[in-house]
Amino acid sequence: VQLQASGGGLVQPGGSLRLSCAASGSIISVNIMGWYRQAPGKQRELVADINTGGSTNYADSVKGRFTISRDHAKNTVYLQMNSLKPEDTAVYYCNADVLGQGQYYFTDYWGQGTLVTVSS
């Protein structure tokens, strides 16, 4: 199982970006999918996650600006980021709880990280 993230880049304050992350491989089921971020010198933190029923959870710092969604058929999670601020600058990692073929338990997988830089 692999997670492939894309969509990062450089954007001016107030701008928008959309991140995507697709899970691939021999997958039976995907449970919670989410996005985390890690800024320089800081610990990795949860940005948002979404369960199979569509219930979402957001960090207070991004509520009202970021929207997480998923496409079950494509095993893909998205993060629409609007009104970006310099403090949103970080490496963003996708995360998924996956049951793969031959596994008996759901396992946590991480994407490779994509850099988001918010700067004028």
Side-chain angles (χ1 to χ4, degrees):
V1 175
Q2 292 184 332
L3 298 186
Q4 181 67 46
S6 62
L10 173 64
V11 63
Q12 292 186 342
S16 299
L17 280 176
R18 189 190 193 212
L19 306 182
S20 300
C21 177
S24 62
S26 300
I27 296 171
I28 296 175
S29 181
V30 181
N31 194 4
I32 293 174
M33 302 186 81
W35 290 94
Y36 289 72
R37 67 186 180 187
Q38 187 167 18
K42 295 188 177 182
Q43 290 188 331
R44 190 175 297 189
E45 63 175 0
L46 174 69
V47 177
D49 61 26
I50 182 168
N51 66 15
T52 55
S55 294
T56 58
N57 179 42
Y58 293 94
D60 288 343
S61 59
V62 306
K63 283 181 181 177
R65 301 188 297 121
F66 291 10
T67 302
I68 189 170
S69 60
R70 65 189 288 177
D71 183 327
H72 291 279
K74 297 181 179 179
N75 288 327
T76 299
V77 63
Y78 306 96
L79 186 68
Q80 178 65 42
M81 304 185 293
N82 298 328
S83 302
L84 282 160
K85 304 175 181 179
E87 50 263 43
D88 294 318
T89 295
V91 177
Y92 284 70
Y93 298 90
C94 60
N95 172 267
D97 201 25
V98 179
L99 181 65
Q101 287 188 354
Q103 295 178 338
Y104 295 95
Y105 304 100
F106 280 84
T107 302
D108 226 23
Y109 290 90
W110 292 89
Q112 82 282 12
T114 184
L115 178 63
V116 172
T117 303
V118 185
S119 175
S120 55

